[in-house]
Amino acid sequence: MELLQGRIRDYAWGSRTAIAELQGRPVPSDGPEAELWLGAHPGAPATVQRDGRPVSLTELLVAEPGHWLGERLVGRFGTRLPFLLKVLAADTPLSLQAHPDAEQARAGHAADVGRVNYVDPYHKPELLVALSEFEALCGFRDPGESAAAIAAFGVPALEPVVAALRDGPAGLREAVRLLLSWPRAERAGLVAAVLAAAEAGPDSADAGLVRTLAAGYPDDPGVVVALLLHHVRLAPGEGIWMPAGNLHAYLRGTGVEIMAASDNVLRGGLTAKRVDVDELLRVLRFEVLTEPVLGPEQVEPGVLTWPVPVEDFALHRVEVAAGSPGVRLTLPGPRVVLCRSGKLSVDDGVGVVTLDAGQAAIGAAAGGPLTVAGAGEAFVATCGMH
């Protein structure tokens, strides 16, 4: 194992406390800290020390793919780390978005000469596990519920949207199309009408959501699109799984996120960035998500996981009690370990690293089983191939 120095991304929606507190730095931080990246993503690769200088993980994977990734992983994904582990800390809502599946990403990247929608040929499924109370929008809820929720605001202009939703799942696509194609000159008026109804009448979670979103996006029809989705409130340890075609948005909170390493994002609102309505409609899966919350499964004493159906990544949480012999994990390499709390030693038979809260380590595929000892909590990211 080797110490891994992550990179902090300073997106405007980030927290000025969560990541700093995790790493034991002064609070508040000088500016927003949205994500701590622990991987080899070319946009902000983590580093390890070589001869007293930081060397990017991306550079090492290309130079020594067999050592770091192993032949099997190279054969499947090439000389790149297929996953990216993050700590995500949101103080304000992120954009409504969805990601393509693997086939759509490959075809879109090949055809998208300007790399407007598809900047790489990879899919981007995501799993987020809450570290604090966490709010998100995730997946379409029953369209009958959405129709009733929107009708309760009593805005006449939204009657065609309500009518489409009353057609059931078949009407979801039309409802989303109507909202995202709303005439630009009329968007501020639409949001103002819905907000006025929320402030004057409905005492509901939907009204509260509208008030929150409209405060930041007063002319964005994504405020109404949000009412078509599950409004999820996660307790620490609960997760949400976002496969291809799932419309979602993070609203508030801190979590550990693991995702396939890709930048392919199709936005649908709550953003000043570009929204390609036609391409988003092509990628979205207009299916009702019956259960948006993903609970953990115990693998063995002290070890939890959140099973997801992809080969790119897997995430485990390890809790080690003081005085115990530690936990031994046989997981495919490479492995990235993030210490959430306490002080832990991680040993892959090649090297031993001691981690404090907020620190991370990486072990190559060439290493052996992973032993986590000491006292504390860690998250371990690996590929999902068995």
Side-chain angles (χ1 to χ4, degrees):
M1 302 296 294
E2 299 187 54
L3 277 173
L4 186 69
Q5 183 65 48
R7 300 276 296 277
I8 291 176
R9 310 310 302 268
D10 59 354
Y11 308 134
W13 48 263
S15 168
R16 295 186 63 191
T17 60
I19 295 177
E21 286 177 346
L22 173 67
Q23 296 185 324
R25 293 185 282 108
V27 172
S29 57
D30 292 338
E33 297 180 337
E35 297 180 339
L36 171 64
W37 284 21
L38 299 165
H41 190 288
T47 60
V48 298
Q49 289 292 314
R50 287 289 183 276
D51 299 322
R53 69 178 185 90
V55 177
S56 82
L57 188 55
T58 305
E59 182 180 330
L60 293 176
L61 297 185
V62 173
E64 303 174 278
H67 171 76
W68 283 101
L69 300 169
E71 292 184 6
R72 187 161 174 255
L73 207 64
V74 171
R76 173 67 177 83
F77 296 105
T79 58
R80 66 184 190 96
L81 191 64
F83 62 84
L84 174 61
L85 181 67
K86 299 178 180 179
V87 178
L88 183 147
D91 263 5
T92 58
L94 283 67
S95 62
L96 281 168
Q97 59 188 263
H99 310 296
D101 63 27
E103 182 178 345
Q104 290 167 336
R106 284 192 297 269
H109 183 69
D112 190 356
V113 178
R115 304 293 184 254
V116 176
N117 288 322
Y118 297 96
V119 298
D120 57 60
Y122 310 118
H123 68 166
K124 193 187 177 190
E126 302 170 343
L127 167 68
L128 180 133
V129 174
L131 296 178
S132 68
E133 291 186 357
F134 197 97
E135 279 189 73
L137 303 170
C138 184
F140 290 113
R141 62 178 177 174
D142 181 272
E145 293 179 13
S146 298
I150 294 175
F153 287 89
V155 176
L158 288 172
E159 289 176 1
V161 176
V162 173
L165 291 169
R166 285 176 175 156
D167 283 340
L172 268 175
R173 180 186 181 90
E174 177 62 8
V176 174
R177 187 196 68 78
L178 284 169
L179 289 169
L180 295 186
S181 303
W182 208 269
R184 191 163 299 276
E186 300 174 16
R187 292 181 176 185
L190 172 68
V191 176
V194 176
L195 178 59
E199 292 178 335
D203 182 17
S204 66
D206 290 324
L209 179 62
V210 164
R211 287 192 288 268
T212 296
L213 298 180
Y217 302 96
D219 59 354
D220 192 325
V223 172
V224 185
V225 176
L227 299 175
L228 309 182
L229 306 176
H230 291 283
H231 185 187
V232 177
R233 294 175 176 83
L234 301 177
E238 292 184 318
I240 44 177
W241 161 238
M242 288 149 288
N246 179 328
L247 190 61
H248 64 276
Y250 299 138
L251 302 180
R252 178 188 61 84
T254 304
V256 169
E257 183 183 42
I258 188 167
M259 50 175 268
S262 169
D263 281 328
N264 288 326
V265 177
L266 293 162
R267 293 178 176 84
L270 308 182
T271 181
K273 296 182 179 179
R274 178 176 177 273
V275 175
D276 186 331
V277 175
D278 290 339
E279 190 63 18
L280 179 65
L281 291 175
R282 192 179 73 83
V283 164
L284 283 179
R285 294 180 180 173
F286 293 97
E287 304 166 353
V288 175
L289 182 62
T290 55
E291 181 49 69
V293 178
L294 182 64
E297 293 185 7
Q298 183 168 305
V299 176
E300 57 183 271
V303 182
L304 301 176
T305 191
W306 294 260
V308 292
V310 292
E311 293 185 329
D312 307 71
F313 60 78
L315 183 67
H316 292 76
R317 173 187 173 272
V318 179
E319 188 168 17
V320 182
S324 74
V327 175
R328 190 172 187 268
L329 297 169
T330 302
L331 297 171
R335 288 138 312 175
V336 175
V337 182
L338 167 68
C339 181
R340 161 81 190 291
S341 63
K343 182 182 285 288
L344 297 169
S345 69
V346 288
D347 181 359
D348 64 354
V350 176
V352 183
V353 173
T354 299
L355 301 176
D356 292 316
Q359 291 186 309
I362 186 167
L370 183 67
T371 300
V372 183
E377 176 188 4
F379 285 87
V380 182
T382 68
C383 72
M385 297 173 65
H386 300 291

